[in-house]
Amino acid sequence: MTEPGQPIKIFNARTEWLRGEGLSCDVVLSSRVRLARNLAGLPFVAQATRTDRRHILDLCRARLVGAGLAKQLMWLNLHDAPPIDRAVLAERHLISKQLARGVLPGRDAAPDEPRGVAISIPDERLSVMVNEEDHLRLQTIRTGLDLRGCFEQIDAADDSIEAGLDYAFHPRFGYLTACPTNVGTGARFSVMLHLPALRMTGEIDKVKNAAEDMSLAIRGSHGEGSQNTGDIFQISNQTTLGKSEDVLLAEMQDEIVPRVVEYERRARTMLLERRRTILEDKIHRALGVLRGARLMTVDEAMTLLSQVRLGVVLGLIEDLPQQTVNHLLLIVQPAHLQRIANKEMPQGARRIARADLIRERLGPGTNETPRNGQ
Amino acid sequence: MTEPGQPIKIFNARTEWLRGEGLSCDVVLSSRVRLARNLAGLPFVAQATRTDRRHILDLCRARLVGAGLAKQLMWLNLHDAPPIDRAVLAERHLISKQLARGVLPGRDAAPDEPRGVAISIPDERLSVMVNEEDHLRLQTIRTGLDLRGCFEQIDAADDSIEAGLDYAFHPRFGYLTACPTNVGTGARFSVMLHLPALRMTGEIDKVKNAAEDMSLAIRGSHGEGSQNTGDIFQISNQTTLGKSEDVLLAEMQDEIVPRVVEYERRARTMLLERRRTILEDKIHRALGVLRGARLMTVDEAMTLLSQVRLGVVLGLIEDLPQQTVNHLLLIVQPAHLQRIANKEMPQGARRIARADLIRERLGPGTNETPRNGQ
């Protein structure tokens, strides 16, 4: 457990989902499974009083810390954590933006709302949010296309937690959740995909339409309403009621995602074969600008890094490990940037710090692992 | 003398005006003086018959080759020269575009028009066009601000030529020329200036207005009607009648150009002091794109090279000699590019060749003299 005021220990070189390895890792950045659970006999978070929520938090924390979920588990009281740490966790997808800010459904942000998160360290594969929309939101995240691995881990964690807590469960509907779309298995499967070629060829819209027809959501990397900066898209199932977890999982892991991966690969091959020089031009200009710039916005950084990532995957850029680019896609974000600099910075200073960090990491011929593994 | 069909020998490392040396070479690329002369008793070029022009050409060539104008003089019959060689000479400012194409005032281009040029090699400081608008157009060109050096050389050359040819001269008007603006001394003084800071700060318009008030012309690098691509501007006197060469020369060399140089330097200092990061960002992005691109238009190349040249002059880019950038500003042009590749190329292929050439010359840490000195 981390005491209030201590810096969070999430900066390490072993964050699993950033490794840029695993099945279809040329296209799939990471896989995630999420479960929504609520305690029996207690009101949902939005309906609960603050006293209730404090009680829920105490119950959940005690159980999470005692359930043997991981070799090492970090617990963080988010109402005690500095805003920058909370924002860092959200940028790492370990907590939601809502939980970071202390937003309950339909209310304004209240940073002192009693809430917390348990994170397995150093791999950051498992995280459990307490007092988000549901009492418990479990999440597992892994590099590449590995929803099955994610599910096995989350299923085991779920069982361990349930062994000491009474979940709200209805014999007909399944697990009860605050939002009806999560009722049932309460499971959401999602993958983070890098689809630059489909975007360049304009076929991304076809993929989006096809996904909607299958009741899937395609969104930006930070979920609902977020932009798809850097050509990174998240595909997830929209409903959890009516289909078993096994069916949902198999559909996503074995059919839908492989099909999108295939589309993206075909588009990349087409670009390589028919527009190679234009593609190389775009990719190497992107790298040139990243290596030269002294000022950079987060959006420009994501866009250029996305093009560079494509270049690395296609072998058009050598001596640059994919992991370095994956890392940069994460740490160019505002909270990480400030955390690395160890100070708060206004936007202008962040633009300078971001360009400096990128140059440092992308220096010509960089092929070592990032120095402090962020 | 170069025989028809032989390749012109102008590719060498000693082209004087590209050295990037001399007075105020941080701003002044080169200085030029031009004299217009016509033979007595023969019609001006535009009024002459083709037989006349052939006669004029023979007379002038014989005199130029025999006058001892330079240690080594190359003579070229332009009506025999391949179009690419003529275009190369125009890009090097050794002949006008009109002479390259065989355009007489008011007529269409006729590549077989009898016309030629004498060029001192390897320095390319002196060139004499025959059958341009006037029978003879002498030009001297030097690196940095050195109109006086240019004038001394052209004056000596003029005397040598006149010792064996009878010039059209009127005791009251001076040397007679085809265009009335050249009557009198027949002298035009011009300097090629690199004014990126004045352009960035928007003050270039003030300088232009001031120049017009002084009867000076500010134009793009290729004279009337040309664009100022790459922030390169040419300042020259508009009229030659009524002022002695000495007065014109002193005005340009000692007053007007130094003042513009001073404005540009002040603008650079201001940018360095107040907008340093923005300036560095712009300059290093330009270098990054030049080092990365696989496709490049001539306009983009000039614009980016101009920014890089500013960076070199201001010490914001190290390990890159100004001469390399000056050379590139010349050889990224279409005719040079094709001459270097030793083949004709359509626009698409030129864009690739241009990007390749730039990467080769600007490779990280390039600080050697260009290999074949073009």
Short mmCIF file of all heavy atoms in Angstrom, two decimals, chain A residues 277-278 280-281 284-285 287-289 291-297 300 304 316 352 355 364, chain B residues 277-278 280-281 284-285 287-289 291-297 300 304 316 352 355 364:
data_model
loop_
_atom_site.label_atom_id
_atom_site.label_comp_id
_atom_site.label_asym_id
_atom_site.label_seq_id
_atom_site.Cartn_x
_atom_site.Cartn_y
_atom_site.Cartn_z
N THR A 277 6.78 5.72 -52.26
CA THR A 277 7.56 6.94 -52.06
C THR A 277 6.76 7.98 -51.27
O THR A 277 7.31 8.64 -50.38
CB THR A 277 7.99 7.52 -53.42
OG1 THR A 277 8.60 6.48 -54.16
CG2 THR A 277 8.97 8.65 -53.24
N ILE A 278 5.48 8.08 -51.57
CA ILE A 278 4.64 9.03 -50.83
C ILE A 278 4.60 8.63 -49.35
O ILE A 278 4.67 9.48 -48.46
CB ILE A 278 3.22 9.06 -51.44
CG1 ILE A 278 3.28 9.67 -52.84
CG2 ILE A 278 2.25 9.83 -50.55
CD1 ILE A 278 2.00 9.54 -53.65
N GLU A 280 6.89 6.75 -47.70
CA GLU A 280 8.21 6.98 -47.10
C GLU A 280 8.43 8.47 -46.82
O GLU A 280 8.99 8.85 -45.79
CB GLU A 280 9.31 6.47 -48.03
CG GLU A 280 9.39 4.96 -48.10
CD GLU A 280 10.50 4.47 -49.01
OE1 GLU A 280 10.87 5.21 -49.96
OE2 GLU A 280 10.99 3.37 -48.79
N ASP A 281 7.98 9.28 -47.76
CA ASP A 281 8.11 10.73 -47.60
C ASP A 281 7.39 11.18 -46.33
O ASP A 281 7.96 11.88 -45.49
CB ASP A 281 7.53 11.42 -48.84
CG ASP A 281 7.71 12.92 -48.81
OD1 ASP A 281 8.87 13.38 -48.72
OD2 ASP A 281 6.70 13.66 -48.88
N HIS A 284 9.17 9.71 -43.07
CA HIS A 284 10.47 10.28 -42.74
C HIS A 284 10.40 11.79 -42.48
O HIS A 284 11.21 12.33 -41.73
CB HIS A 284 11.49 9.95 -43.83
CG HIS A 284 11.94 8.52 -43.76
ND1 HIS A 284 12.86 8.08 -42.84
CD2 HIS A 284 11.56 7.43 -44.47
CE1 HIS A 284 13.03 6.78 -42.99
NE2 HIS A 284 12.26 6.36 -43.98
N ARG A 285 9.44 12.45 -43.10
CA ARG A 285 9.20 13.85 -42.72
C ARG A 285 8.75 13.91 -41.26
O ARG A 285 9.19 14.77 -40.50
CB ARG A 285 8.11 14.47 -43.59
CG ARG A 285 8.60 14.96 -44.92
CD ARG A 285 7.43 15.42 -45.79
NE ARG A 285 7.90 15.82 -47.09
CZ ARG A 285 7.98 17.09 -47.49
NH1 ARG A 285 7.56 18.06 -46.72
NH2 ARG A 285 8.46 17.38 -48.68
N LEU A 287 9.39 11.84 -38.85
CA LEU A 287 10.54 11.59 -37.98
C LEU A 287 11.46 12.81 -37.95
O LEU A 287 11.97 13.20 -36.89
CB LEU A 287 11.30 10.35 -38.47
CG LEU A 287 12.46 9.86 -37.61
CD1 LEU A 287 11.99 9.53 -36.19
CD2 LEU A 287 13.13 8.64 -38.23
N GLY A 288 11.65 13.43 -39.12
CA GLY A 288 12.49 14.62 -39.20
C GLY A 288 11.96 15.75 -38.35
O GLY A 288 12.71 16.42 -37.64
N VAL A 289 10.66 15.96 -38.40
CA VAL A 289 10.05 17.04 -37.61
C VAL A 289 10.16 16.71 -36.12
O VAL A 289 10.52 17.56 -35.31
CB VAL A 289 8.59 17.29 -38.03
CG1 VAL A 289 7.90 18.24 -37.06
CG2 VAL A 289 8.54 17.85 -39.45
N ARG A 291 12.39 14.98 -34.68
CA ARG A 291 13.79 15.11 -34.26
C ARG A 291 14.27 16.56 -34.29
O ARG A 291 15.33 16.87 -33.74
CB ARG A 291 14.69 14.27 -35.17
CG ARG A 291 14.66 12.81 -34.80
CD ARG A 291 15.52 11.97 -35.73
NE ARG A 291 15.62 10.61 -35.23
CZ ARG A 291 16.02 9.57 -35.96
NH1 ARG A 291 16.37 9.73 -37.21
NH2 ARG A 291 16.06 8.37 -35.44
N GLY A 292 13.52 17.43 -34.97
CA GLY A 292 13.96 18.81 -35.09
C GLY A 292 13.22 19.80 -34.20
O GLY A 292 13.81 20.74 -33.69
N ALA A 293 11.92 19.55 -34.00
CA ALA A 293 11.07 20.57 -33.38
C ALA A 293 11.52 20.96 -31.98
O ALA A 293 12.08 20.15 -31.24
CB ALA A 293 9.63 20.09 -33.35
N ARG A 294 11.29 22.19 -31.65
CA ARG A 294 11.57 22.73 -30.30
C ARG A 294 10.29 23.06 -29.57
O ARG A 294 10.32 23.48 -28.41
CB ARG A 294 12.40 24.01 -30.45
CG ARG A 294 13.90 23.83 -30.30
CD ARG A 294 14.49 22.86 -31.26
NE ARG A 294 15.94 22.79 -31.11
CZ ARG A 294 16.70 21.85 -31.65
NH1 ARG A 294 16.15 20.89 -32.37
NH2 ARG A 294 17.99 21.85 -31.48
N LEU A 295 9.18 22.93 -30.24
CA LEU A 295 7.85 23.23 -29.68
C LEU A 295 6.89 22.22 -30.27
O LEU A 295 6.87 22.04 -31.48
CB LEU A 295 7.40 24.62 -30.13
CG LEU A 295 8.04 25.85 -29.51
CD1 LEU A 295 7.62 27.09 -30.30
CD2 LEU A 295 7.62 26.00 -28.07
N MET A 296 6.08 21.59 -29.44
CA MET A 296 5.14 20.64 -30.02
C MET A 296 3.88 20.46 -29.16
O MET A 296 3.97 20.25 -27.96
CB MET A 296 5.82 19.29 -30.25
CG MET A 296 4.96 18.38 -31.11
SD MET A 296 5.87 17.05 -31.86
CE MET A 296 6.79 17.94 -33.11
N THR A 297 2.73 20.51 -29.82
CA THR A 297 1.47 20.23 -29.13
C THR A 297 1.30 18.72 -29.02
O THR A 297 1.93 17.96 -29.76
CB THR A 297 0.26 20.79 -29.91
OG1 THR A 297 0.18 20.08 -31.16
CG2 THR A 297 0.40 22.27 -30.19
N GLU A 300 -0.10 17.22 -32.39
CA GLU A 300 0.90 17.05 -33.44
C GLU A 300 1.82 15.88 -33.12
O GLU A 300 2.15 15.07 -33.98
CB GLU A 300 1.72 18.33 -33.66
CG GLU A 300 2.60 18.20 -34.89
CD GLU A 300 3.59 19.35 -35.09
OE1 GLU A 300 3.78 20.15 -34.16
OE2 GLU A 300 4.18 19.42 -36.18
N LEU A 304 2.35 12.65 -35.55
CA LEU A 304 3.65 12.32 -36.12
C LEU A 304 4.16 10.98 -35.60
O LEU A 304 4.71 10.18 -36.35
CB LEU A 304 4.66 13.44 -35.82
CG LEU A 304 4.32 14.81 -36.42
CD1 LEU A 304 5.33 15.86 -35.94
CD2 LEU A 304 4.32 14.76 -37.94
N LEU A 316 10.37 0.64 -42.60
CA LEU A 316 10.86 1.80 -43.34
C LEU A 316 11.76 2.67 -42.46
O LEU A 316 12.49 3.51 -42.96
CB LEU A 316 9.69 2.64 -43.86
CG LEU A 316 8.72 1.92 -44.81
CD1 LEU A 316 7.55 2.82 -45.17
CD2 LEU A 316 9.45 1.47 -46.06
N ILE A 352 7.52 22.97 -25.01
CA ILE A 352 8.99 22.91 -25.08
C ILE A 352 9.47 21.58 -24.49
O ILE A 352 10.27 20.87 -25.10
CB ILE A 352 9.62 24.10 -24.31
CG1 ILE A 352 9.24 25.43 -24.99
CG2 ILE A 352 11.13 23.95 -24.23
CD1 ILE A 352 9.68 26.66 -24.23
N ALA A 355 8.79 18.63 -26.83
CA ALA A 355 9.73 18.56 -27.95
C ALA A 355 11.10 18.07 -27.47
O ALA A 355 11.75 17.25 -28.13
CB ALA A 355 9.84 19.92 -28.63
N PRO A 364 18.96 10.42 -33.40
CA PRO A 364 19.33 9.55 -34.52
C PRO A 364 20.01 8.29 -34.00
O PRO A 364 20.90 8.36 -33.15
CB PRO A 364 20.31 10.39 -35.33
CG PRO A 364 20.15 11.78 -34.86
CD PRO A 364 19.60 11.73 -33.47
N THR B 277 12.86 30.57 -29.17
CA THR B 277 12.38 29.19 -29.28
C THR B 277 11.56 28.99 -30.55
O THR B 277 11.69 27.98 -31.23
CB THR B 277 11.54 28.82 -28.04
OG1 THR B 277 12.31 29.12 -26.88
CG2 THR B 277 11.22 27.34 -28.02
N ILE B 278 10.74 29.97 -30.87
CA ILE B 278 9.94 29.88 -32.10
C ILE B 278 10.86 29.82 -33.31
O ILE B 278 10.64 29.05 -34.25
CB ILE B 278 8.96 31.08 -32.19
CG1 ILE B 278 7.92 30.98 -31.08
CG2 ILE B 278 8.32 31.17 -33.57
CD1 ILE B 278 7.06 32.21 -30.90
N GLU B 280 14.11 28.84 -33.34
CA GLU B 280 14.82 27.56 -33.33
C GLU B 280 13.92 26.43 -33.82
O GLU B 280 14.34 25.54 -34.55
CB GLU B 280 15.32 27.24 -31.92
CG GLU B 280 16.49 28.09 -31.50
CD GLU B 280 16.99 27.75 -30.09
OE1 GLU B 280 16.19 27.24 -29.28
OE2 GLU B 280 18.16 28.01 -29.82
N ASP B 281 12.67 26.49 -33.37
CA ASP B 281 11.70 25.47 -33.77
C ASP B 281 11.55 25.46 -35.29
O ASP B 281 11.66 24.42 -35.94
CB ASP B 281 10.36 25.77 -33.10
CG ASP B 281 9.30 24.72 -33.40
OD1 ASP B 281 9.54 23.55 -33.09
OD2 ASP B 281 8.24 25.08 -33.95
N HIS B 284 14.95 24.25 -37.03
CA HIS B 284 15.27 22.82 -36.88
C HIS B 284 14.20 21.92 -37.48
O HIS B 284 14.49 20.81 -37.91
CB HIS B 284 15.54 22.50 -35.41
CG HIS B 284 16.87 23.00 -34.95
ND1 HIS B 284 18.04 22.35 -35.25
CD2 HIS B 284 17.21 24.11 -34.27
CE1 HIS B 284 19.06 23.03 -34.73
NE2 HIS B 284 18.57 24.11 -34.14
N ARG B 285 12.96 22.41 -37.51
CA ARG B 285 11.94 21.66 -38.26
C ARG B 285 12.31 21.63 -39.74
O ARG B 285 12.19 20.61 -40.40
CB ARG B 285 10.56 22.32 -38.11
CG ARG B 285 9.84 21.95 -36.85
CD ARG B 285 8.57 22.80 -36.70
NE ARG B 285 7.90 22.45 -35.47
CZ ARG B 285 6.81 21.72 -35.38
NH1 ARG B 285 6.23 21.27 -36.48
NH2 ARG B 285 6.27 21.43 -34.22
N LEU B 287 15.24 21.85 -41.10
CA LEU B 287 16.35 20.92 -41.30
C LEU B 287 15.87 19.48 -41.20
O LEU B 287 16.28 18.61 -41.99
CB LEU B 287 17.45 21.21 -40.27
CG LEU B 287 18.75 20.42 -40.41
CD1 LEU B 287 19.41 20.65 -41.77
CD2 LEU B 287 19.74 20.79 -39.30
N GLY B 288 15.00 19.22 -40.25
CA GLY B 288 14.45 17.87 -40.08
C GLY B 288 13.69 17.41 -41.31
O GLY B 288 13.85 16.26 -41.75
N VAL B 289 12.89 18.29 -41.87
CA VAL B 289 12.13 17.92 -43.07
C VAL B 289 13.08 17.71 -44.24
O VAL B 289 12.95 16.74 -44.99
CB VAL B 289 11.06 19.00 -43.40
CG1 VAL B 289 10.42 18.73 -44.76
CG2 VAL B 289 9.99 19.03 -42.32
N ARG B 291 16.09 16.71 -44.15
CA ARG B 291 16.83 15.47 -43.93
C ARG B 291 15.94 14.23 -44.02
O ARG B 291 16.44 13.12 -44.12
CB ARG B 291 17.51 15.49 -42.56
CG ARG B 291 18.76 16.34 -42.56
CD ARG B 291 19.41 16.38 -41.18
NE ARG B 291 20.72 17.01 -41.27
CZ ARG B 291 21.39 17.48 -40.23
NH1 ARG B 291 20.87 17.40 -39.02
NH2 ARG B 291 22.57 18.04 -40.39
N GLY B 292 14.62 14.45 -43.96
CA GLY B 292 13.73 13.29 -43.98
C GLY B 292 12.99 13.08 -45.29
O GLY B 292 12.76 11.94 -45.69
N ALA B 293 12.65 14.17 -45.98
CA ALA B 293 11.74 14.07 -47.12
C ALA B 293 12.27 13.17 -48.23
O ALA B 293 13.47 13.05 -48.44
CB ALA B 293 11.45 15.46 -47.67
N ARG B 294 11.35 12.53 -48.90
CA ARG B 294 11.65 11.67 -50.06
C ARG B 294 11.10 12.29 -51.33
O ARG B 294 11.29 11.76 -52.42
CB ARG B 294 11.00 10.31 -49.86
CG ARG B 294 11.93 9.23 -49.31
CD ARG B 294 12.53 9.56 -48.00
NE ARG B 294 13.37 8.48 -47.48
CZ ARG B 294 14.17 8.59 -46.45
NH1 ARG B 294 14.28 9.74 -45.81
NH2 ARG B 294 14.89 7.57 -46.04
N LEU B 295 10.39 13.38 -51.20
CA LEU B 295 9.78 14.08 -52.33
C LEU B 295 9.84 15.55 -52.01
O LEU B 295 9.43 15.94 -50.91
CB LEU B 295 8.30 13.69 -52.46
CG LEU B 295 7.94 12.32 -53.00
CD1 LEU B 295 6.45 12.06 -52.78
CD2 LEU B 295 8.26 12.23 -54.48
N MET B 296 10.31 16.37 -52.96
CA MET B 296 10.34 17.80 -52.65
C MET B 296 10.26 18.67 -53.89
O MET B 296 10.98 18.47 -54.85
CB MET B 296 11.59 18.15 -51.84
CG MET B 296 11.50 19.54 -51.25
SD MET B 296 12.65 19.83 -49.90
CE MET B 296 11.84 18.89 -48.61
N THR B 297 9.38 19.67 -53.82
CA THR B 297 9.29 20.65 -54.90
C THR B 297 10.42 21.67 -54.73
O THR B 297 10.99 21.81 -53.64
CB THR B 297 7.96 21.43 -54.86
OG1 THR B 297 7.93 22.19 -53.65
CG2 THR B 297 6.77 20.49 -54.92
N GLU B 300 9.44 24.41 -52.09
CA GLU B 300 9.58 24.00 -50.70
C GLU B 300 11.06 23.92 -50.31
O GLU B 300 11.44 24.34 -49.22
CB GLU B 300 8.90 22.64 -50.44
CG GLU B 300 8.87 22.32 -48.94
CD GLU B 300 8.39 20.92 -48.60
OE1 GLU B 300 8.26 20.08 -49.51
OE2 GLU B 300 8.14 20.68 -47.41
N LEU B 304 12.72 26.01 -47.22
CA LEU B 304 13.33 25.34 -46.08
C LEU B 304 14.83 25.63 -46.00
O LEU B 304 15.38 25.86 -44.92
CB LEU B 304 13.09 23.82 -46.17
CG LEU B 304 11.61 23.38 -46.10
CD1 LEU B 304 11.50 21.88 -46.33
CD2 LEU B 304 10.99 23.75 -44.76
N LEU B 316 22.66 28.70 -34.87
CA LEU B 316 21.68 27.79 -34.27
C LEU B 316 21.82 26.38 -34.83
O LEU B 316 21.29 25.42 -34.28
CB LEU B 316 20.25 28.30 -34.52
CG LEU B 316 19.93 29.69 -33.96
CD1 LEU B 316 18.51 30.09 -34.34
CD2 LEU B 316 20.08 29.69 -32.45
N ILE B 352 11.84 13.45 -56.50
CA ILE B 352 12.55 12.38 -55.78
C ILE B 352 14.06 12.68 -55.78
O ILE B 352 14.72 12.63 -54.73
CB ILE B 352 12.28 11.01 -56.45
CG1 ILE B 352 10.79 10.65 -56.31
CG2 ILE B 352 13.15 9.92 -55.82
CD1 ILE B 352 10.38 9.40 -57.06
N ALA B 355 14.98 15.50 -53.38
CA ALA B 355 14.99 15.07 -51.97
C ALA B 355 16.23 14.21 -51.69
O ALA B 355 16.88 14.36 -50.65
CB ALA B 355 13.71 14.31 -51.65
N PRO B 364 23.24 14.13 -41.39
CA PRO B 364 23.59 14.63 -40.05
C PRO B 364 25.10 14.76 -39.91
O PRO B 364 25.83 13.84 -40.26
CB PRO B 364 23.09 13.53 -39.11
CG PRO B 364 22.14 12.70 -39.90
CD PRO B 364 22.51 12.86 -41.35
#
